[in-house]
């Protein structure tokens, strides 16, 4: 199906992303997987190419694109390679960026944004805690005011870029009695005394991404590192979560479409009983269903992207795009594995790795159950 949300500028940008991936990323993926992280040199190159600062004002070194479709193009191309890339780069360039652009003061922008654009200041966001991620309002990490610092105690887990990040946007409780209205955000910088990280976590998929636990033991965070207003962190997170969920949807459907395309080629080449396996009516009909599912989902996600560009994407619209795209992605990839037969279970086959990589999309960025909870509440229940 022809897509109409992008124009020539977006497609030119897509070509530059593809070239970067072909030359700098794809040849080194095995190394990234064994290191469980993307090397800093790759971040710096992404910065030089202008991929990290799409949302950042020009005066701080960004592109100030003012058009989310450029983020979407970047995300789509990264997802076609694997799921770890849009996860790591997306957390920095797509998810943390709005916090640093819209909630910071001038001093913070000057301090953080130039390095953010070049890749010298790699970021992460720490919301989830070992005791729970779905119930964000119940988070337990505390930040207690003491003079002109906040003393931070607690821990975070499953934090993407957590091991390598130079700065983590951390959600902490500043007013215990106020629950959701007692949470604030802080820029916790590498090297702050009492801030430590656990090992890189061993995941079922996405071995190329760095995912870590973070620990805060009496970390003195200067008041100057408070991001946004005191006690309004929960509202800030709710404001930016739709963009996070939209980015997740863009990733999911692009990834599924790419692996399905590769699977269709496989079904043309692979022979059984003297013919291509795609010619068996069961498989032909299955592929017809999968292609339709992907295209219908793509149309919904494209519409959500356009709504976001117009400032009209609601939290409910983003929740629908997130859960549905991850459901479609996982169903499609499961069938793709099946169509590859035994090869589909071999790690050296892209389809096997893609299937492992995709499983988390029903869990992260707000689990699918939480997405349905939000949608259900909006129906009046
Ligand atoms: C690879 C990876 C990367 C991640 N990156 C980050 C990151 O960078 N930053 C960050 O902050 N977090 C990150 N996360 C955390 C992720 O967002 C959480 O795992 C997710 O929000 C779920 O939280 P939880 O794991 O604590 O599960 P829980 O909240 O304990 O939920 C467990 C189960 O109960 C269900 N459940 C919970 N509440 C309800 C309800 N009300 N109704 C129905 N079902 C419910 C959930 O859907 C889930 O199935 C990452 C996770 C992974 C796996």
């Amino acid at each position: 199906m022809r897509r109409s949300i992008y124009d020539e500028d977006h497609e030119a940008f897509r070509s530059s992303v593809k070239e970067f991936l072909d030359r700098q990323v794809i040849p080194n993926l095995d190394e990234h997987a064994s290191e469980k992280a993307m090397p800093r040199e790759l971040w710096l190159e992404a910065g030089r190419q202008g991929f990290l600062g799409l949302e950042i004002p020009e005066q701080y070194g960004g592109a100030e694109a003012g058009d989310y479709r450029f983020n979407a193009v970047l995300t789509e191309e990264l997802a076609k390679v694997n799921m770890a890339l849009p996860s790591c780069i997306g957390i920095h360039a797509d998810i943390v960026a709005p916090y640093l652009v819209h909630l910071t003061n001038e001093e913070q922008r000057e301090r953080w944004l130039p390095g953010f654009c070049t890749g010298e200041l790699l970021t992460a966001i720490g919301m989830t805690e070992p005791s729970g991620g779905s119930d964000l309002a119940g988070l337990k990490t505390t930040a207690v005011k003491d003079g002109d610092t906040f003393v931070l105690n607690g821990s975070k887990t499953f934090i993407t870029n957590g091991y390598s990040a130079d700065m983590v946007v951390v959600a902490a409780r500043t007013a215990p009695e106020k629950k959701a209205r007692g949470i604030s955000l802080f820029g916790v910088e590498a090297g702050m005394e009492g801030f430590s990280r656990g090992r890189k976590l061993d995941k079922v998929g996405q071995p190329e991404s760095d995912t870590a636990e973070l620990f805060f033991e009496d970390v003195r965070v200067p008041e100057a590192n408070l991001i946004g207003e005191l006690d309004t962190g929960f509202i800030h997170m709710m404001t930016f979560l739709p963009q996070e969920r939209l980015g997740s949807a863009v990733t999911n459907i692009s990834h599924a479409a790419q692996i399905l395309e590769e699977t269709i080629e496989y079904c043309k080449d692979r022979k059984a009983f003297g013919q291509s396996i795609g010619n068996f009516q069961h498989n032909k009909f299955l592929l017809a269903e999968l292609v339709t599912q992907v295209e219908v989902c793509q149309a919904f996600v494209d519409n959500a992207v356009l709504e976001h560009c117009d400032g009209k994407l609601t939290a409910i619209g983003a929740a629908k795009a997130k859960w549905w795209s991850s459901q479609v992605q996982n169903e499609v990839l499961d069938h793709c594995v099946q169509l590859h037969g035994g090869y589909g279970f071999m790690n050296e086959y892209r389809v096997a790795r893609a299937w492992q990589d995709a499983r988390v999309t029903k869990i992260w960025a707000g689990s699918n159950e939480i997405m349905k909870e939000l949608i259900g509440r909006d129906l009046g229940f």
Side-chain angles (χ1 to χ4, degrees), residues 26 36 70 99 105 117 122 142 162 187 203 217 246 254 340-341:
I26 294 170
K36 289 194 184 143
F70 287 101
Y99 290 82
N105 56 39
C117 295
L122 173 56
T142 55
K203 306 187 293 296
E217 209 178 320
L246 176 61
S254 178
H340 277 76

Side-chain angles (χ1 to χ4, degrees), residues 38-46 118-122 164-166:
M38 286 164 45
R40 183 57 64 119
E41 186 44 48
L42 188 57
W43 284 99
L44 297 175
E45 186 54 34
T118 60
E120 286 161 298
L121 184 104
L122 173 56
S164 327
D166 303 293

